[in-house]
Amino acid sequence: MQKMSSDDGIYHHHHSDKEALGTDKVPHIGPLSGSLNKRAGRKGSRFNLPGSSSSKGDDYVEITLDVGDDSVAVHSLKAANGDDLQDDPELTLLAKGLEKKSSVGSSMVRNASAKIKQVGQELKRLTSLSKKPPRFDRTKSAVAHALKGLKFISKTDGEHGWVAVEKLFDEISASNNGVLPRSRFGECIGMESKEFAGQLFDALARKRNLQFDSIDKAHLKEFWDQISNQSFDARLQTFFDMVDKDADGRITEEEVKEIISLSASANKLSNIQKQAEEYAALIMEELDPDNLGFIMIHNLEMLLLQGPDESVRGESRNLSQMLSQKLKPTYDYNPVRRFYRDTIYFLLDNWQRVWVMALWTGAMCGLFSYKYIEYRQREDVFEVMGHCVCFAKGAAETLKLNMALILLPVCRNTITWLRNKTKLGAVVPFDDNLNFHKVIAVGISIGVGIHGISHLACDFPRLLHAKPDEYEPIEKYFGEQAKSYWHFVKHIEGVTGIIMVALMAFAFTLATPMFRRGRMKLPKPLNKLTGFNAFWYSHHIFVIVYTLLIVHGIKLFLTKKWYKKTTWMYLAIPVFLYICERLTRLLRSSIEAVTIQKVAVYPGNVLALHMSRPRGFRYKSGQYIFVNCDVVSPFEWHPFSITSAPGDDYVSVHIRTLGDWTGQLRTVFSKVCKQPTNGKSGLLRADCLQENNNPEFPRVLIDGPYGAPAQDYKKYEVVLLVGLGIGATPMISIVKDIVHNIRSMAEDEDEELSSALENGATINNKTSSPSPPNPKRRENFKTKRAYFYWVTREQGSFDWFKGIMNEVAEMDHDHVIELHNYCTSVYEEGDARSALITMLQSLNHAKNGVDVVSGTRVKSHFAKPNWRSVYKHIAVNHNNARVGVFYCGAPALTKVLRQLASDFSHKTSTKFDFHKENF
C-alpha cells in the first residue's frame, strides 16, 4: 500500500493483497503532454504489459485522461486490440486511484512538469499491478519443506495451546485490571524474546486498528488464532505485517534494517546487528532490482521458499526407508528374551571394560577371601576378635592392591607409550584410564570403611571386654590388656590410620564434581575449597598418605615377621613408576621454555596461544599437553587439547576461561595484548615479529604430548567428529591433519610419477616401474571421509577457528571433509524469529561465499542437530563401513551419542565405534 500526503499532490490508493502481488516495472511508451495548470484537455499514454514477449509493441494498455484545471480523471481504458477494458473490475479499481481532486488555491499553481512526472510514475506502477506475478511452484521438495516453517510458536498450537495461554492470561491479568499489557505478551504466549514479541503484538494490533498497549481475552484469542494458524500464507502475511510497520503494503529498506536488527537481537547475533544496514542493502539489491525503493509480499514468499534440494533418490532413498523401519523402537514382552538381548548388546559394546572390571573384581574377591580364611584359621585371634578381624584384614588386603593400582591410570607417559608402541590398545581400554582411577577410588573408600569400622566398632571393644583367660593367648600381640579405648587409638597404628582416613576423606570430597567444578557455593573463606585449584592441591597430599600407609603396614599388632608385612611389596613398583613419571615430566618441561609467537583473546573468554615447537616434540592430532605459567602458579599444570596439526611448525592451544587459574592466565596475557589491526582476528592480540619491540610474554612451559582417544581416528575410513563449544579443539587438529595428509599423499603421487617419467619408466621398455607412494603413510592413514559437527551457543565462538575453517574449505578440493557449524542461540530453521536471518544467510553466501553467522565459508545451521538424522545420513552413505565417532564436550550428550552408536551398530550394517575425550 502506498501512503503519501495530499499536500504533495499524491493520493491514497488501497488495494487487496491479491492485487499487491505485482511490482514489475513497466516502460512508458507514450508521452504525457500538456500543462495541468492550463485549459482542460484529453491526454493519452500507452504502457507495455510486463512479461510480454511481443516485439511489435502491440501488447499494451492505453489509458486516456481528462485533465482539467483542478482535476485529473480517467476517460477510458483500452487494450491493444481496441477492446474496452472499463468493465474489468481490477483495472477499473486501479484506474480510479488516478482520479484526484486537486486542492483549490496553491495546488493550481504547482509546477506542471512535476505533476506530469508524478502521474507518469504512478501510471507505471498501477499498470504493473494489473499483471499478476507468477505463483511460486510449491510442489518441489525443498519448497514443501520450507512451507512447514515460519512458525511464531514452537511447542503449542491451536486449541490445545490456548488452554495454557488462557491460564497464563488469567494469572497476569489478575493484577492488571483484567487486561494483558504489551510488555508481558511474550510471557503469555511462551515467546522468550520480549522485543520480538512486542513487535508481533504491534503488528497484530495494527491489523485490527487497535491503539492500546493492552488487550483483553477476546483480542488475545484473535491474536493466538492468527499466530497459531498452520497455513503458510497466513504466517507469511503476519510476518509481512511485522516488517511493514507503517502498513502501506510495502517494505522499505529502513524497515528491512529494523527487522534485521530485531531478529539479530532475538537470536543473540551481535555481529549481524552491527551490520544491519549493510545486510538490508543486500536484501533490497536482490529483491528490488528495479530500484523501486520497496519490496512486496510475493518477494518474501519467493525468498522464503527457495532452498537446497535435500531429496534422496534411487537406492539411497530405499536404503533410508529400510533403516527407518529397522530403527523403529520395538518392545519385547518376554522378559527373559529381552534381558538376553540387552546383555548381548552390552557385552558387544563394552567387552574391553567388562573383562578389565571382571579381572579387578575377581582380584578383590580373591584377596578378601584369602585373608578372611587365613584369620578364620588363627584360633587364638579368632577366639577373642571373631569375624570382625577377618573382615578387617580382608578389607586391608584389598586396600593394599587398590592403593598400588590407583597410581597406574595417572602414569600418562606409560599409557601413551603403550598406546602408541604396542598392540595392547586393541584389548585394554586406555581411553577409560581416569574412569578406572575413579572406580578404584570407590573401592578404596569401601575398603577403608570396612577396615576402620571392623576395628573401631568391633575388634577394640571385644579386646577391652575379653575375659583374662580369653585374652591370654593374644597378650603377646597387644601386651597387657588395655583398660580404655584410648589405648588403641593413641598407638602408632591408630594414629596413622585415623590421619590417613581424614586426609583421604578430604581429598575425595574436593574431587567430587560439585567441588571440583566450583558448583558448591560456600561462604568466605571456605569458598577457597571449591574449584580446580583446591582439587589439584588436595590430591597432592597423597604423598603424606602413602608415607603413613607404609608406616601403618609395618607397625602391625598381629603380624611380626617382616616378610608377612606385604604393604611395601604391593606399593614398590607402582610408586617407583610414578616417581619416574614425575621426574620425566619435570626434566622434559624445564629444559627449554617455549617461545610465544602469537596470543589472541577471542569472544567467549577464549585465549589462543601459538608457541614455538620444542626440539624433538612430536605429536598426533587429538593428543593434549600440560601447560604451566609460573607467573600464575609455579606448581600448577593444566591439560589442553592441541589445536595445531602435526604438519604445522608451531604448537597451539585454545584455553577457555572457566576457573581461577585460566582466568588469571587470561588476565596476564591480556596485559600485553592490544586491539588488532589490519583486519586480524580477536578482541585483543599480540604477535611476535622479527622486530625488536616485541611484547614481553610471561614464561610458559609445556609437558607432553599425551595420548587421547581422538588420536586413533586414522584407523577408520570414515570418522564422525563432534565438538561442543571449546570441545572442538581436538577435532580442529584432526580436520587440519586430514587435509594435510591428503595433500601430502597427492604430492607423493606426483613426485613418484615425475620420478618414474625421469627414469624412463614406460609400459613399452619396462626399464623400471613406479613404486606406490609412501606405503607407510598409506598404512597409517586410512581416513577417506570425515564429518565434523561443531555445536556452539554463541556467534562469537566461530571466531576461535575462523582462519582454520576457511583454510580447510579452501584446501579440501576433493570434498573429503563435510563441515557443519551449529549455533544454538538462533531459533530453529523455520521459526519466524530466525526467518530473516535464514534469508539473509542464503543471499550473502550465494553472492559472497561467506556465512553471515560464522563469518567463514562454512554455512551455519540453527538450533541443535538431529543426531539420529546425522547417524542415519552416514549409515546411508557408508553401508558396511566401520565409523569412528569421536566426541569432546559436555557429558550430557555422551549418553545420546553412545546410545545411537549402539543402536545403529546393532540394527544396520554400518558399525559405529564411540570414543569420548577424557583428561
Side-chain angles (χ1 to χ4, degrees):
M1 301 177 187
Q2 186 176 13
K3 178 179 68 179
M4 299 184 184
S5 65
S6 59
D7 292 338
D8 294 334
I10 302 176
Y11 60 89
H12 287 72
H13 179 67
H14 300 275
H15 47 78
S16 67
D17 295 337
K18 182 178 180 182
E19 294 167 330
L21 291 175
T23 59
D24 295 336
K25 189 174 180 181
V26 181
H28 168 227
I29 63 169
L32 280 172
S33 60
S35 180
L36 293 183
N37 58 353
K38 294 184 180 180
R39 63 181 177 82
R42 184 167 296 164
K43 309 298 176 185
S45 184
R46 294 179 179 180
F47 295 89
N48 282 347
L49 291 177
S52 172
S53 60
S54 175
S55 60
K56 298 180 180 181
D58 58 354
D59 198 2
Y60 59 86
V61 174
E62 181 179 306
I63 302 177
T64 305
L65 302 177
D66 285 330
V67 182
D69 290 337
D70 59 352
S71 66
V72 177
V74 177
H75 177 75
S76 64
L77 291 170
K78 291 185 179 180
N81 56 11
D83 293 342
D84 193 345
L85 300 178
Q86 294 285 5
D87 295 332
D88 190 314
E90 293 189 10
L91 288 176
T92 302
L93 180 62
L94 294 172
K96 285 183 179 180
L98 293 172
E99 299 182 1
K100 189 262 173 201
K101 298 294 184 180
S102 301
S103 60
V104 180
S106 60
S107 63
M108 297 180 62
V109 295
R110 292 188 178 165
N111 186 278
S113 61
K115 276 204 168 186
I116 294 173
K117 181 178 180 181
Q118 172 190 325
V119 173
Q121 290 177 344
E122 200 62 29
L123 285 172
K124 295 175 187 179
R125 186 185 75 81
L126 292 173
T127 307
S128 69
L129 291 174
S130 67
K131 181 68 174 180
K132 300 177 183 178
R135 293 290 292 175
F136 199 85
D137 185 5
R138 296 185 174 187
T139 60
K140 296 179 181 178
S141 59
V143 175
H145 175 75
L147 282 170
K148 300 176 183 178
L150 206 59
K151 298 177 294 184
F152 289 89
I153 46 179
S154 303
K155 298 179 180 179
T156 54
D157 293 317
E159 292 298 330
H160 177 72
W162 170 247
V163 175
V165 173
E166 186 178 26
K167 182 179 179 181
L168 281 172
F169 174 85
D170 294 337
E171 295 176 1
I172 296 172
S173 61
S175 57
N176 291 279
N177 299 321
V179 295
L180 175 68
R182 176 184 182 274
S183 59
R184 303 190 68 178
F185 178 67
E187 177 186 348
C188 186
I189 66 172
M191 185 174 287
E192 294 180 6
S193 175
K194 291 184 178 180
E195 189 177 0
F196 194 91
Q199 294 296 330
L200 178 58
F201 179 95
D202 293 342
L204 296 170
R206 194 163 51 237
K207 192 77 173 177
R208 293 161 178 78
N209 295 319
L210 299 178
Q211 304 295 329
F212 309 105
D213 285 337
S214 58
I215 55 174
D216 56 20
K217 185 181 291 188
H219 283 121
L220 178 62
K221 183 63 167 66
E222 289 184 28
F223 286 13
W224 177 257
D225 290 340
Q226 183 168 342
I227 62 178
S228 62
N229 193 324
Q230 298 300 307
S231 166
F232 178 80
D233 292 305
R235 297 197 297 263
L236 177 64
Q237 185 62 56
T238 302
F239 184 72
F240 184 87
D241 292 340
M242 282 189 65
V243 185
D244 182 23
K245 293 187 176 181
D246 55 6
D248 64 352
R250 305 171 178 176
I251 301 177
T252 63
E253 185 170 337
E254 185 62 29
E255 289 173 328
V256 172
K257 176 185 173 183
E258 289 182 22
I259 198 65
I260 288 176
S261 297
L262 179 64
S263 298
S265 175
N267 292 281
K268 302 175 183 177
L269 301 174
S270 56
N271 292 345
I272 293 181
Q273 200 168 2
K274 294 174 184 176
Q275 298 175 272
E277 185 173 352
E278 175 187 340
Y279 291 140
L282 176 64
I283 289 180
M284 295 302 293
E285 179 184 345
E286 177 69 19
L287 300 184
D288 181 27
D290 297 326
N291 297 319
L292 297 175
F294 58 86
I295 58 177
M296 307 295 286
I297 191 170
H298 79 277
N299 299 114
L300 285 179
E301 178 190 21
M302 178 182 67
L303 194 58
L304 282 168
L305 296 186
Q306 284 180 338
D309 189 357
E310 299 177 355
S311 60
V312 181
R313 299 179 180 177
E315 295 182 2
S316 296
R317 171 177 292 179
N318 295 332
L319 181 58
S320 177
Q321 293 174 349
M322 291 173 58
L323 288 180
S324 298
Q325 292 295 326
K326 287 184 178 181
L327 293 169
K328 283 185 177 180
T330 56
Y331 185 80
D332 194 335
Y333 291 95
N334 187 322
V336 176
R337 190 163 54 236
R338 187 170 65 247
F339 174 79
Y340 174 78
R341 182 196 61 195
D342 293 344
T343 302
I344 294 297
Y345 284 171
F346 177 81
L347 292 176
L348 289 173
D349 294 336
N350 302 278
W351 67 270
Q352 292 177 313
R353 300 182 181 93
V354 168
W355 83 260
V356 171
M357 288 301 300
L359 180 63
W360 176 74
T361 304
M364 295 300 102
C365 294
L367 289 174
F368 185 91
S369 301
Y370 163 69
K371 278 296 177 181
Y372 187 98
I373 295 172
E374 179 184 336
Y375 276 84
R376 176 66 181 82
Q377 294 175 348
R378 291 182 62 172
E379 295 182 358
D380 52 347
V381 176
F382 186 79
E383 187 70 25
V384 178
M385 305 171 73
H387 290 281
C388 301
V389 71
C390 298
F391 274 96
K393 291 300 180 179
E397 200 67 17
T398 64
L399 278 171
K400 295 175 187 178
L401 179 61
N402 282 333
M403 290 296 288
L405 289 178
I406 201 169
L407 295 174
L408 298 180
V410 291
C411 292
R412 291 183 171 87
N413 284 302
T414 304
I415 292 177
T416 301
W417 184 85
L418 291 173
R419 181 198 293 271
N420 295 340
K421 303 297 183 181
T422 69
K423 301 295 184 181
L424 287 176
V427 293
V428 179
F430 289 121
D431 298 346
D432 292 317
N433 61 321
L434 292 185
N435 291 331
F436 189 51
H437 179 79
K438 296 173 185 177
V439 169
I440 296 173
V442 172
I444 290 174
S445 301
I446 296 173
V448 168
I450 296 174
H451 182 76
I453 292 173
S454 298
H455 275 326
L456 297 175
C458 187
D459 285 339
F460 295 165
R462 290 175 71 101
L463 289 172
L464 286 173
H465 298 97
K467 296 178 180 179
D469 56 335
E470 293 176 340
Y471 185 79
E472 184 179 355
I474 60 174
E475 186 174 357
K476 58 184 176 181
Y477 301 121
F478 296 98
E480 187 178 348
Q481 188 172 8
K483 303 298 182 183
S484 68
Y485 195 87
W486 181 248
H487 171 80
F488 299 103
V489 176
K490 70 179 182 180
H491 204 274
I492 294 178
E493 290 91 331
V495 173
T496 55
I498 291 173
I499 294 176
M500 279 193 296
V501 171
L503 292 178
M504 283 193 288
F506 179 71
F508 286 8
T509 301
L510 298 189
T512 57
M514 289 291 291
F515 280 87
R516 181 166 53 90
R517 298 185 181 275
R519 297 173 185 166
M520 179 70 70
K521 303 301 179 183
L522 299 176
K524 294 182 179 180
L526 296 178
N527 61 334
K528 296 292 184 181
L529 295 177
T530 62
F532 188 85
N533 276 359
F535 157 77
W536 193 87
Y537 284 113
S538 65
H539 248 56
H540 283 73
I541 63 176
F542 79 93
V543 177
I544 302 174
V545 172
Y546 275 91
T547 303
L548 294 174
L549 180 61
I550 293 174
V551 174
H552 186 84
I554 294 174
K555 297 291 184 177
L556 296 176
F557 284 113
L558 298 174
T559 305
K560 301 301 181 182
K561 296 179 181 179
W562 70 270
Y563 59 86
K564 290 189 176 182
K565 300 177 180 182
T566 57
T567 302
W568 66 273
M569 298 179 187
Y570 279 98
L571 299 178
I573 294 178
V575 169
F576 175 77
L577 186 62
Y578 185 79
I579 291 174
C580 292
E581 282 270 336
R582 297 306 295 257
L583 290 175
T584 301
R585 183 170 168 178
L586 178 65
L587 293 173
R588 182 172 56 190
S589 61
S590 61
I591 291 175
E592 181 182 3
V594 295
T595 301
I596 302 297
Q597 297 178 344
K598 184 179 73 174
V599 176
V601 178
Y602 291 107
N605 292 323
V606 169
L607 173 70
L609 298 179
H610 287 236
M611 302 164 283
S612 61
R613 189 165 177 168
R615 286 173 294 182
F617 186 85
R618 296 181 180 179
Y619 65 94
K620 298 179 180 180
S621 289
Q623 292 184 330
Y624 65 96
I625 58 175
F626 280 85
V627 178
N628 169 271
C629 182
D630 54 5
V631 174
V632 179
S633 173
F635 305 110
E636 293 184 47
W637 293 79
H638 293 261
F640 299 100
S641 295
I642 303 173
T643 53
S644 54
D648 296 329
D649 58 357
Y650 62 88
V651 178
S652 66
V653 292
H654 285 66
I655 302 170
R656 185 163 196 177
T657 304
L658 294 174
D660 41 14
W661 186 88
T662 53
Q664 294 175 37
L665 184 72
R666 182 182 183 276
T667 302
V668 167
F669 277 99
S670 296
K671 292 179 180 178
V672 296
C673 294
K674 299 179 181 179
Q675 293 288 340
T677 58
N678 301 326
K680 294 182 178 179
S681 62
L683 300 175
L684 297 171
R685 190 183 180 96
D687 294 271
C688 185
L689 306 175
Q690 300 299 325
E691 304 168 1
N692 296 325
N693 57 345
N694 286 321
E696 294 185 6
F697 296 111
R699 186 169 180 262
V700 172
L701 302 175
I702 63 173
D703 174 50
Y706 292 104
Q711 75 176 59
D712 296 328
Y713 82 92
K714 293 183 179 181
K715 299 190 302 183
Y716 298 93
E717 291 188 357
V718 183
V719 294
L720 170 60
L721 310 173
V722 181
L724 256 61
I726 198 64
T729 49
M731 311 308 167
I732 288 293
S733 178
I734 292 174
V735 167
K736 290 182 65 179
D737 192 38
I738 291 174
V739 175
H740 287 168
N741 275 280
I742 293 172
R743 185 174 60 180
S744 298
M745 286 193 294
E747 292 175 354
D748 290 342
E749 291 177 356
D750 292 340
E751 290 179 5
E752 291 293 337
L753 182 59
S754 299
S755 176
L757 292 175
E758 291 176 1
N759 294 331
T762 62
I763 298 177
N764 292 328
N765 57 33
K766 297 182 181 180
T767 56
S768 63
S769 59
S771 59
N774 203 335
K776 186 175 181 181
R777 187 198 301 277
R778 284 193 176 278
E779 180 182 353
N780 295 332
F781 183 79
K782 299 180 180 179
T783 307
K784 297 179 180 178
R785 184 70 167 161
Y787 299 85
F788 175 43
Y789 285 79
W790 182 19
V791 184
T792 184
R793 186 184 300 111
E794 304 164 348
Q795 181 188 15
S797 303
F798 293 115
D799 288 347
W800 305 345
F801 308 115
K802 181 186 292 185
I804 297 175
M805 300 293 275
N806 285 330
E807 179 185 355
V808 171
E810 291 177 6
M811 294 171 57
D812 185 21
H813 302 297
D814 297 329
H815 304 290
V816 174
I817 305 173
E818 194 173 292
L819 302 173
H820 298 272
N821 292 338
Y822 279 81
C823 186
T824 59
S825 70
V826 184
Y827 290 95
E828 62 181 343
E829 296 173 11
D831 194 293
R833 288 159 286 189
S834 62
L836 205 65
I837 303 298
T838 305
M839 294 159 50
L840 180 60
Q841 182 190 46
S842 299
L843 285 177
N844 197 67
H845 199 274
K847 183 175 181 180
N848 303 318
V850 177
D851 182 66
V852 295
V853 177
S854 66
T856 68
R857 298 190 177 190
V858 182
K859 196 171 182 180
S860 300
H861 306 278
F862 302 152
K864 298 178 181 178
N866 183 331
W867 294 113
R868 177 170 287 272
S869 297
V870 171
Y871 275 80
K872 182 179 177 181
H873 171 67
I874 296 175
V876 169
N877 292 328
H878 303 282
N879 196 19
N880 297 316
R882 181 167 290 275
V883 180
V885 182
F886 299 92
Y887 169 67
C888 184
L893 189 57
T894 304
K895 184 178 180 180
V896 175
L897 295 178
R898 179 179 280 122
Q899 185 60 49
L900 285 172
S902 176
D903 291 345
F904 276 82
S905 295
H906 298 315
K907 298 180 180 181
T908 71
S909 60
T910 306
K911 307 304 177 185
F912 292 84
D913 296 337
F914 180 80
H915 307 270
K916 183 183 184 300
E917 294 291 292
N918 294 304
F919 58 85

